[in-house]
Amino acid sequence: MICKGILKNLSLDWNTKKPEITLQLDTKADVIEELKENVLSIELKRYREKRSLDANAYYWKLVTELADKISQSNAWVHNDMLRKYGQVEMIDGKIVYIVIPDTDVAYNKAYEAQEYHIKPTSQVKEGKDGIIYRTYIMLRGSSSYNTKEMSQLIDGLVRECKGVGIETMSPEEIKRILGYLNN
């Protein structure tokens, strides 16, 4: 079960020295009843609205227009935007890195990739095989972005588009499609 809620109280059990929390959940009590007396997997994090499909459609519309304007593929522009304005992939609070050969072929393939998104770093090392490798940072795909993250991506894309003379929505229209005016 995933739902919204508010942390109402936090206390410490003096016997076990473990924290106890009271939550007020935005759901019906009978939904909770089946969870009673079971060991649960619990994740608490700040609630954020998911981005709208309108925001996604607008993003890809601008990607296409920018790609046409600068004679690049949509995948190239999308990867460029993720490299500049996107979110890094994290596992257990650590940035995910990969190492690939430091060649023009590898670099260009990474820029055109649709299945993965990576950003080069300045770290280059020679492998035991004599080949030079570059470390890349793994980036999250935009389909996993929340409203705030998508807003940052769209804001960057809008700046890029304006820089080459592509007309964009007003800031108010962008806020509307991202759902900010409804919060």
Side-chain angles (χ1 to χ4, degrees):
M1 173 188 88
I2 296 177
C3 65
K4 291 191 310 186
I6 298 171
L7 179 65
K8 295 295 276 186
N9 192 21
L10 179 62
S11 60
L12 183 67
D13 181 308
W14 291 102
N15 293 326
T16 64
K17 303 292 188 230
K18 293 183 178 179
E20 293 184 354
I21 60 173
T22 303
L23 301 171
Q24 180 180 21
L25 303 177
D26 188 14
T27 190
K28 303 250 186 252
D30 59 337
V31 174
I32 304 299
E33 193 64 32
E34 68 185 55
L35 300 175
K36 198 163 98 176
E37 302 300 323
N38 290 304
V39 175
L40 305 174
S41 172
I42 299 172
E43 176 183 6
L44 299 175
K45 60 184 180 181
R46 187 172 302 217
Y47 177 78
R48 293 202 189 274
E49 288 287 337
K50 294 207 180 270
R51 68 197 174 107
S52 73
L53 293 176
D54 289 345
N56 190 57
Y58 184 59
Y59 173 79
W60 285 102
K61 175 185 179 295
L62 288 183
V63 163
T64 300
E65 289 183 31
L66 184 56
D68 289 345
K69 184 80 169 189
I70 64 172
S71 301
Q72 290 290 349
S73 69
N74 285 8
W76 190 97
V77 170
H78 179 52
N79 280 309
D80 192 50
M81 294 304 103
L82 291 178
R83 287 178 177 193
K84 292 176 179 176
Y85 310 108
Q87 304 297 314
V88 299
E89 183 68 59
M90 306 280 281
I91 296 178
D92 293 333
K94 307 277 192 271
I95 296 174
V96 178
Y97 294 94
I98 65 166
V99 178
I100 63 173
D102 190 31
T103 65
D104 289 342
V105 171
Y107 182 83
N108 292 333
K109 184 175 180 178
Y111 242 119
E112 291 293 337
Q114 296 179 31
E115 305 81 20
Y116 58 89
H117 310 287
I118 57 178
K119 176 181 180 177
T121 69
S122 60
Q123 185 176 359
V124 178
K125 291 185 178 178
E126 183 175 348
K128 292 180 182 178
D129 56 6
I131 296 174
I132 303 296
Y133 292 89
R134 181 173 299 275
T135 300
Y136 281 72
I137 296 172
M138 183 70 68
L139 302 170
R140 288 179 30 225
S142 61
S143 63
S144 69
Y145 288 13
N146 63 30
T147 301
K148 180 179 178 186
E149 294 164 340
M150 194 65 182
S151 175
Q152 292 170 344
L153 185 62
I154 289 175
D155 287 347
L157 177 56
V158 164
R159 284 192 301 277
E160 302 277 338
C161 287
K162 286 181 177 180
V164 295
I166 295 172
E167 191 172 319
T168 64
M169 288 182 175
S170 71
E172 292 76 25
E173 290 172 304
I174 293 171
K175 284 180 183 178
R176 181 189 56 76
I177 66 169
L178 286 167
Y180 286 153
L181 300 182
N182 298 328
N183 293 345

